[in-house]
Amino acid sequence: MAYSDKVVDHYNNPRNVGSMDKADPNVGTGMVGAPECGDVMKLQIKVNPATHIIEDAKFKTFGCGSAIASSSLATEWLKGKTVDEALDIKNTDIVNELALPPVKIHCSVLAEDAIKAAISDYKAKSTVETAVTA
Amino acid sequence: MQYFEVLGLAPRLSLDLKDLEKRFYAKSRELHPDRFARAPQAEQQRALELSSLLNDAYRTLREPIARAEYVLKNSGFDIGEQRSKDVPPELLEEVFELNMALEEADRPQIEAAGVRFEKLRAEIDQELATRFGQWDQAAETGTLAQIRGLLNRRRYIENLLRDVNVHLSN
């Protein structure tokens, strides 16, 4: 099966690979996986607490080319968005952008799950933080 | 559930493999083409179809994991497409760490991980056996959901063991 040029590009030059401090209150971490293919994806966002804008995003994915490309693209899209705007990113957007074939759609679903997980981790942390300081 | 029916069994997750084998041979003899040599065409055809179903049934039911997947599929559980919600976060964390270790190709770490994952798989198999018994006592959907969760974990660990072996053979 041939990968699209965009998948190959993200696979060969993945954007924003790395990790951030999980303990940082402004960092949200999403760890997701797909048992049938053994993929694991970690996606992190760093949010400016005053503006709710995602200032940085990092990922590390162990999986196929499409899973790596999906999460790489997700980090590109996340940067500069507010947390609420980021929640609007749909797996179908990723499918369209990367021209993923039907058998690889679950990779985009995984990336969407990772975004949602990172945001909900950040939100859970920032609520606790606010409660403590209030 | 056809596979159990063709072997004359009620749907059960814990099966006596000796008994299963005996039933398989007895049924195979019953359906042997020689016995239908003079039978009408339609009956020969029917025996052939049943015989093929019987083979599939035996192949599936003698393997506990395949058997459980068969029961899950026939109880309305989708075992193909799955989301990460079905996997406990600690396992993902562990899988992620092992992948990191594999990437850095630190041999002693990989060997230790291999041992740990084999132990984990054995523990899962033991818990599966318990859950199988539980379902056989009272066929509850909740038990099947737990079994599906265990099977997911098991698949992750199988994949990891495969990766471990690939790295160790390099």
Side-chain angles (χ1 to χ4, degrees), chain B residues 5 13 19 29 35 80 83 89 99 107 115 119 134:
Chain B
E5 278 165 31
L13 283 173
D19 174 64
R29 275 194 297 274
R35 299 175 60 122
R83 309 287 289 263
N99 274 299
R107 202 179 173 92
V115 172
K119 194 171 156 252
Q134 207 176 327

Side-chain angles (χ1 to χ4, degrees), chain B:
Chain B
M1 289 186 224
Q2 267 193 321
Y3 284 179
F4 290 98
E5 278 165 31
V6 75
L7 284 152
L9 289 163
R12 287 280 177 277
L13 283 173
S14 339
L15 291 180
D16 175 351
L17 292 181
K18 278 254 152 37
D19 174 64
L20 191 70
E21 193 183 37
K22 248 186 256 166
R23 283 169 184 272
F24 171 66
Y25 286 139
K27 284 276 174 194
S28 297
R29 275 194 297 274
E30 253 174 61
L31 295 168
H32 197 279
D34 288 356
R35 299 175 60 122
F36 294 84
R38 271 186 289 263
Q41 189 70 34
E43 215 173 305
Q44 283 187 24
Q45 189 58 32
R46 168 101 187 117
L48 206 63
E49 279 163 17
L50 268 179
S51 178
S52 148
L53 176 69
L54 179 70
N55 286 328
D56 288 343
Y58 181 58
R59 211 175 302 127
T60 304
L61 297 186
R62 72 178 169 189
E63 302 293 341
I65 302 299
R67 187 192 311 146
E69 283 174 347
Y70 175 74
V71 170
L72 282 171
K73 214 168 73 190
N74 284 278
S75 307
F77 281 86
D78 190 1
I79 50 164
E81 288 293 300
Q82 301 222 11
R83 309 287 289 263
S84 27
K85 306 191 252 302
D86 303 315
V87 189
E90 316 83 67
L91 179 67
L92 286 177
E93 205 72 52
E94 199 171 8
V95 170
F96 190 87
E97 289 308 320
L98 180 77
N99 274 299
M100 289 294 262
L102 287 177
E103 201 176 56
E104 286 153 24
D106 179 339
R107 202 179 173 92
Q109 230 174 324
I110 294 169
E111 279 167 359
V115 172
R116 192 170 77 238
F117 279 92
E118 263 165 28
K119 194 171 156 252
L120 219 48
R121 184 175 58 185
E123 283 168 14
I124 291 171
D125 286 347
Q126 206 157 16
E127 195 176 341
L128 274 173
T130 310
R131 298 285 173 211
F132 283 2
Q134 207 176 327
W135 189 77
D136 292 344
Q137 292 290 313
E140 280 164 15
T141 313
T143 313
L144 285 183
Q146 281 168 324
I147 289 170
R148 184 175 67 160
L150 286 166
L151 289 180
N152 279 341
R153 261 181 78 103
R154 196 179 192 282
R155 202 163 309 133
Y156 247 124
I157 287 163
E158 285 274 293
N159 284 338
L160 283 167
L161 279 166
R162 187 200 53 211
D163 292 348
V164 163
N165 289 327
V166 167
H167 279 257
L168 290 181
S169 64
N170 280 344

